[in-house]
């Protein structure tokens, strides 16, 4: 059977060594997540430095939605980047962490309370619907012009060969009608916005091209916006890239029905040839990172690159997931084992699908097994991993995992790279099972330090 080793780094590795040594009572009451703000800082630093190579300024707004913890909000503030918030409580977190409205963008669906607070703080509101625009209009006072941008739902050329559906934003034509109908000088229109999750540079480039072409409707009204927002959705390498070709080959040739728990593996169905597509796998495991992706996107747009510069536009990006690369791990204790018959086997952990947000993203890499019993006679074993809910589909990976030694009760499984969407996006106390307990793990003067989130945030004050 194949192994899918997660990509790690020195902080992750040191934290795992630390976990091996500590008293494991800490893992007795459900899953524990360790957050790595130092890695987050480094990710921001790297991206910021690399973005200076583009011919126009690119401003980073950390998408708070990718992780609920205030730890990363505080850290974003400290590094000097801006923030994208998608709910009233996220906005409150940003304000509590020291952000001012000028560095906050409000995206997504907004109720009146969220809109009112965004206006009060003078944030940039990315308008998601005409009804939202109408509400803002009624709340606007004559002496304070709200800062707005419009999220465009269909940035495709009219005779284009592709389009995508999304429930977010307003149609191009609605935007054009609005600009012609409304007295836009009551607003500070700062620009246009798009966000799509698909990750094909050429498609994103075409969308940007179309978005830029819409600015003329504003220019005609003597409105000269200052930014172009191209959203988030950037990825990173998930799997250790060593032996990439061999791994993809191995998975392609595996007996799908033997390894998959039900109908998917890594969230992918088998193709008509009974195999998983190597291309799809490669995109999942080894996607371009944000810098490679953005470089490709703008390489498709040489003349627009110049235009963006000539128009004096700042480009805004809203990465969440990619800034959280390697910023968290979750530890779950093994609490049982099961024989499923027909040589199928499972281990049960004290954590579940919600702790790992498996509906948001199917889990890909193998967990790291920390054996607590030095029973070297244990043999390798392929096993499914079941969660602690009374729910048939509480299976943490949709495939078998190959362990070097059969895990036993009391052992630990460590899931790597959980900070972006996994660790707490869907986390809930279904059947009153515990949610993830978060700790902050730091290395200072080569020593491991563990703090609660509260202690860390206090320390940062
Ligand atoms: C408008 C918007 N911006 C940014 C993001 C963040 O995307 P990611 O975390 O994939 O970078 C999202 C995610 O849903 C979004 O909807």
């Amino acid at each position: 059977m194949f192994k899918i080793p997660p990509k790690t780094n020195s902080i992750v590795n040191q934290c795992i060594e630390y976990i091996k040594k500590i008293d494991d009572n800490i893992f007795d009451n459900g899953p524990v997540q360790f957050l790595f703000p130092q890695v987050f800082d480094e990710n921001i630093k790297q991206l910021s430095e690399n973005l200076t190579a583009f011919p126009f300024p690119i401003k980073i707004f950390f998408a708070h939605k990718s992780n609920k913890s205030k730890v990363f909000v505080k850290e974003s503030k400290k590094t000097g980047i801006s923030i994208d918030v998608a709910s009233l409580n996220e906005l409150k977190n940003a304000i509590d962490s020291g952000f001012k409205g000028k560095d906050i963008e409000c995206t997504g669906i907004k109720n009146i309370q969220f809109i009112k607070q965004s206006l009060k703080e003078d944030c940039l509101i990315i308008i998601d619907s005409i009804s939202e625009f109408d509400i803002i209009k009624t709340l606007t006072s004559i002496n304070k012009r709200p800062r707005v941008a419009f999220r465009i739902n269909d940035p495709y050329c009219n005779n284009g060969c592709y389009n995508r559906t999304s429930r977010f934003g307003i149609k191009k034509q609605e935007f054009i009608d609005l600009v012609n109908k409304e007295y836009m000088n009551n607003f500070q229109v700062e620009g246009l916005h798009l966000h799509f999750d698909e990750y094909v540079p050429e498609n994103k480039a075409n969308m940007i091209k179309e978005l830029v072409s819409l600015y003329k409707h504003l220019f005609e009204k003597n409105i000269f916006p200052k930014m172009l927002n191209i959203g988030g959705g950037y990825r990173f390498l998930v799997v250790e890239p060593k032996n990439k070709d061999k791994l993809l080959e191995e998975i392609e040739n595996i007996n799908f029905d033997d390894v998959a728990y039900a109908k998917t593996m890594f969230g992918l169905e088998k193709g008509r040839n009974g195999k998983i597509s190597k291309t799809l796998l490669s995109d999942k495991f080894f996607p371009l990172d944000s810098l490679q992706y953005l470089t490709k996107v703008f390489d498709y747009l040489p003349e627009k690159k110049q235009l963006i510069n000539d128009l004096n536009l700042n480009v805004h990006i809203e990465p969440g997931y990619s800034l959280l690369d390697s910023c968290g791990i979750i530890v779950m204790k093994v609490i049982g084992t099961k024989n499923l018959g027909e040589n199928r086997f499972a281990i049960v952990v004290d954590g579940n699908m919600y702790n790992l947000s498996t509906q948001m993203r199917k889990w890909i890499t193998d967990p790291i097994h920390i054996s607590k019993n030095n029973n070297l006679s244990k043999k390798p074993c392929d096993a499914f991993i079941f969660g602690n809910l009374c729910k048939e589909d509480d299976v943490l990976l949709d495939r078998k995992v190959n362990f070097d030694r059969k895990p036993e009760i009391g052992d630990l499984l460590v899931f790597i790279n959980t900070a972006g969407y996994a660790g707490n996006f869907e986390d809930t106390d279904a059947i009153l099972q515990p949610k993830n307990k978060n700790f902050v793990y730091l290395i200072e003067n080569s020593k491991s330090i563990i703090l609660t989130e509260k202690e860390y945030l206090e320390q940062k004050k």
Side-chain angles (χ1 to χ4, degrees), residues 1 9 15 26 53 131 168 186 238 278 283 285 290 369 383 402:
M1 249 273 286
N9 62 21
C15 185
I26 179 179
S131 65
F168 298 104
N186 283 346
V238 187
K278 250 194 333 201
D283 287 351
F285 294 6
S290 28
H369 174 201
N402 173 253

Side-chain angles (χ1 to χ4, degrees), residues 63 65-66 84 107 151 193 195 232-234 318-321 421:
K65 62 177 75 77
S66 54
D84 157 20
T107 54
R151 177 165 178 176
H193 174 285
H195 169 85
Y234 312 97
E318 302 165 341
Y321 178 70
Y421 296 104

Side-chain angles (χ1 to χ4, degrees), residues 120-139:
K120 185 166 163 230
E121 302 290 348
D122 204 18
C123 306
L124 172 60
I125 303 179
I126 310 288
I127 291 178
D128 190 61
S129 64
I130 297 293
S131 65
E132 197 172 293
F133 178 80
D134 289 338
I135 294 172
I136 295 173
K137 209 165 67 173
T138 61
L139 293 172

Side-chain angles (χ1 to χ4, degrees), residues 135-292:
I135 294 172
I136 295 173
K137 209 165 67 173
T138 61
L139 293 172
T140 302
S141 68
I142 343 157
N143 42 20
K144 200 169 173 199
R145 293 156 70 222
R147 299 172 54 220
V148 296
F150 295 93
R151 177 165 178 176
I152 302 298
N153 162 282
D154 55 350
Y156 322 113
C157 53
N158 292 335
N159 56 359
C161 51
Y162 78 97
N163 61 34
R164 299 285 174 273
T165 47
S166 164
R167 49 178 277 230
F168 298 104
I170 63 175
K171 302 268 169 226
K172 273 187 301 194
Q173 194 55 49
E174 285 180 311
F175 163 72
I176 297 167
D177 293 345
L178 200 71
V179 174
N180 289 326
K181 184 180 89 189
E182 295 285 344
Y183 186 58
M184 280 294 175
N185 285 332
N186 283 346
F187 300 86
Q188 297 181 60
V189 180
E190 299 205 352
L192 299 180
H193 174 285
L194 61 80
H195 169 85
F196 285 83
D197 280 330
E198 72 154 57
Y199 209 52
V200 181
E202 193 173 358
N203 290 352
K204 181 103 166 187
N206 282 329
M207 292 188 220
I208 293 174
K209 209 165 167 176
E210 189 64 15
L211 200 69
V212 172
S213 77
L214 294 175
Y215 279 70
K216 65 175 177 286
H217 300 283
L218 293 168
F219 300 155
E220 282 163 6
K221 298 282 172 187
N222 276 330
I223 296 167
F224 299 98
K226 51 185 184 193
M227 72 90 181
L228 168 75
N229 191 321
I230 59 169
Y234 312 97
R235 301 188 191 166
F236 53 79
L237 217 85
V238 187
V239 178
E240 173 57 53
K242 241 188 319 171
N243 306 326
K244 171 177 168 180
D245 293 335
K246 184 168 162 272
L247 175 66
L248 295 176
E249 186 89 21
E250 249 175 17
I251 300 175
E252 191 186 33
N253 290 319
I254 205 90
N255 177 345
F256 185 99
D257 297 316
D258 176 48
V259 180
Y261 182 70
K263 293 205 161 104
T264 63
M265 219 194 302
F266 317 108
L268 301 170
E269 289 180 19
K270 68 179 169 190
R272 273 180 296 194
N273 60 357
K275 299 176 176 193
I276 295 198
S277 144
K278 250 194 333 201
T279 316
L280 291 179
L281 277 179
S282 182
D283 287 351
K284 269 204 172 215
F285 294 6
F286 311 102
L288 299 174
D289 67 24
S290 28
L291 186 69
Q292 292 165 328

Side-chain angles (χ1 to χ4, degrees), residues 1-14:
M1 249 273 286
F2 56 77
K3 283 193 188 291
I4 312 210
K7 182 191 69 180
T8 62
N9 62 21
S10 75
I11 292 204
V12 171
N13 292 335
Q14 286 179 71

